[in-house]
Amino acid sequence: QVQLVESGGGLVQAGGSLRLSCVASGRTFSSLDMGWFRQAPGKGREFVAGMNGSGASRYYTSYKDSVKGRFTISRDNAKNTVYLQMNSLRPDDTAVYYCAAKTGTPTYAYWGQGTQVTVSS
């Protein structure tokens, strides 16, 4: 089992920045593929950013098209933490953001409780 706890959400004006953090426990963190998802009111959950675990020769990242150049996913294996740096935030980035983890499987199996991000215009 993997436990995930997010933090760092809040209210910010358009153009501002936030950094989300997610601390993982229960498995060797460096081996986990980590991702960030979000769910806006009335919409389904969508992928935002992802980073593979240490099973590959290097770390790869992937992003939803609308956040490329604005959001950055990173990880600190010594702190068992994955981050999502969000810059140039827009009102349509408003959502509950979820941290997720998987161990080499196609789908994410472990989820955090979510943290609210609200961007005002």
Side-chain angles (χ1 to χ4, degrees), residues 19-72:
R19 188 176 79 158
L20 305 183
S21 301
C22 173
V23 179
S25 61
R27 293 284 295 264
T28 302
F29 178 74
S30 61
S31 68
L32 295 173
D33 301 328
M34 300 300 299
W36 287 97
F37 291 72
R38 67 187 183 188
Q39 186 166 17
K43 296 186 178 180
R45 189 173 297 186
E46 63 179 7
F47 173 82
V48 176
M51 176 179 274
N52 62 296
S54 59
S57 59
R58 50 160 285 187
Y59 286 114
Y60 296 88
T61 58
S62 58
Y63 296 93
K64 176 181 173 61
D65 282 348
S66 65
V67 308
K68 286 180 181 177
R70 300 189 298 123
F71 291 10
T72 303

Side-chain angles (χ1 to χ4, degrees), residues 23 28 32 62 75 85 93 96 114 121:
V23 179
T28 302
L32 295 173
S62 58
R75 64 194 298 158
Q85 178 66 46
D93 293 317
V96 177
S121 57

